[in-house]
Amino acid sequence: MRTESEQAELRAALKERLDELVDEQQRYTDSIAAAQRERLSDTAGDDQIDSGSKTVEHEHEVAVAGAISERIRQVSHALERLDVGEYGFCEKCGNPIPAARLAAFPSATLCVSCKQLEERR
């Protein structure tokens, strides 16, 4: 069981990480929009290779934006679990998640065993 001060410290760290991710998402969204405008305005004379390259760039941008959104969802979920007293316990088996795992991955929702089982599927 965590003390109130440990809970507050953990909440502050998760909130700080969430704020960083939201800022990163905004910067990345702005960057994607600027790149998209540039690509759309500079298509004269494009050949298949140029078009393909622009498509690959766009797909990469979308993938990175999706990864940032997923990390935001994970940290938000960790904050919700903290608020209801479920943080630090595996969502599958209910056992405590080791402190080392939470230190490395604060938004972890599964213990190591359950995560390994999930990854094998």
Side-chain angles (χ1 to χ4, degrees):
M1 195 51 112
R2 289 179 186 80
T3 66
E4 279 189 41
S5 107
E6 289 171 329
Q7 294 274 77
E9 203 174 296
L10 185 54
R11 181 175 283 103
L14 286 168
K15 180 73 174 102
E16 181 180 339
R17 181 64 182 139
L18 182 62
D19 291 344
E20 289 169 0
L21 287 167
V22 169
D23 287 347
E24 181 182 357
Q25 183 180 46
Q26 186 59 56
R27 283 191 311 274
Y28 201 74
T29 301
D30 293 347
S31 172
I32 288 173
Q36 189 69 6
R37 282 191 301 275
E38 185 178 313
R39 279 195 292 271
L40 290 173
S41 67
D42 185 27
T43 58
D46 280 1
D47 59 16
Q48 286 180 329
I49 294 172
D50 291 332
S51 294
S53 177
K54 288 178 181 180
T55 299
V56 168
E57 285 176 22
H58 179 68
E59 288 172 355
H60 174 73
E61 291 164 349
V62 169
V64 171
I68 294 169
S69 292
E70 176 59 18
R71 289 195 317 254
I72 288 171
R73 187 201 64 75
Q74 290 171 350
V75 174
S76 295
H77 185 63
L79 281 165
E80 290 167 4
R81 289 175 50 88
L82 187 63
D83 289 341
V84 296
E86 296 174 356
Y87 182 84
F89 295 94
C90 180
E91 288 184 338
K92 284 219 192 273
C93 69
N95 290 329
I97 298 172
R101 176 160 168 70
L102 289 172
F105 186 55
S107 55
T109 59
L110 300 175
C111 67
V112 175
S113 299
C114 290
K115 183 64 176 172
Q116 287 172 340
L117 283 173
E118 182 182 87
E119 287 176 353
R120 285 187 206 137
R121 293 181 190 154

